[in-house]
Amino acid sequence: MSYADKTLTCRDCGAQFVFTAGEQEFYAQKGFTNEPSRCPSCRQARKASGGGGYGNRSSGGYSERSGGYSERDSGYDRGGSARSSGVREMYTAICANCGREAKVPFVPSGRKPVLCDDCFQSQRRNRM
Ligand SMILES: [Zn+2]
Ligand SMILES: [Zn+2]
């Protein structure tokens, strides 16, 4: 799809401004079907004064210059935190208290005593 620059007239100040091909493409990508009815400076002024145009999304909708395209970059910063939705892997250890088999969600290091659910619960209760 190719776009051509268009000259539009601002309905606020009557000035002519160019709706560039790049902007048209940007609008199309965002799903906007309307052409801008105001020149860039009037749009800035309206935004600054808090007057909401369409789609009052706080994150800048039309501010082509400031960001917008950077959304893609985020999403990589989720780090290695394990997803909680997945199946948790359980490891078998021997309860240090009652000697029964205990399932724990971490690899038993051998340094810390492992407690089964029951013992863990009762120990916690005793502490409180
Ligand atoms: Zn204007
Ligand atoms: Zn136990």
Side-chain angles (χ1 to χ4, degrees):
M1 188 108 180
S2 64
Y3 299 87
D5 288 6
K6 254 189 205 179
T7 304
L8 301 174
T9 304
C10 174
R11 83 173 189 214
D12 271 13
C13 68
Q16 297 216 311
F17 65 98
V18 179
F19 186 31
T20 67
E23 285 172 324
Q24 291 172 50
E25 199 178 344
F26 179 81
Y27 269 49
Q29 277 172 4
K30 290 279 179 181
F32 298 130
T33 52
N34 294 331
E35 292 172 346
S37 48
R38 290 178 185 83
C39 68
S41 54
C42 285
R43 265 182 270 157
Q44 285 297 330
R46 280 178 67 86
K47 214 195 280 174
S49 68
Y54 4 48
N56 204 9
R57 297 203 177 170
S58 52
S59 62
Y62 295 123
S63 57
E64 298 92 329
R65 269 158 241 163
S66 64
Y69 291 115
S70 61
E71 284 167 34
R72 272 170 234 160
D73 298 332
S74 60
Y76 286 114
D77 58 6
R78 293 196 185 166
S81 64
R83 287 208 226 138
S84 54
S85 59
V87 181
R88 260 212 306 198
E89 214 171 328
M90 300 297 277
Y91 299 89
T92 305
I94 300 300
C95 175
N97 193 46
C98 67
R100 276 194 305 168
E101 209 176 69
K103 298 262 194 232
V104 291
F106 51 88
V107 184
S109 65
R111 265 176 270 153
K112 278 186 173 181
V114 175
L115 295 177
C116 67
D117 268 356
D118 291 346
C119 294
F120 183 73
Q121 292 293 339
S122 63
Q123 199 185 60
R124 230 163 105 188
R125 244 175 269 137
N126 288 342
R127 270 188 210 161
M128 296 203 320

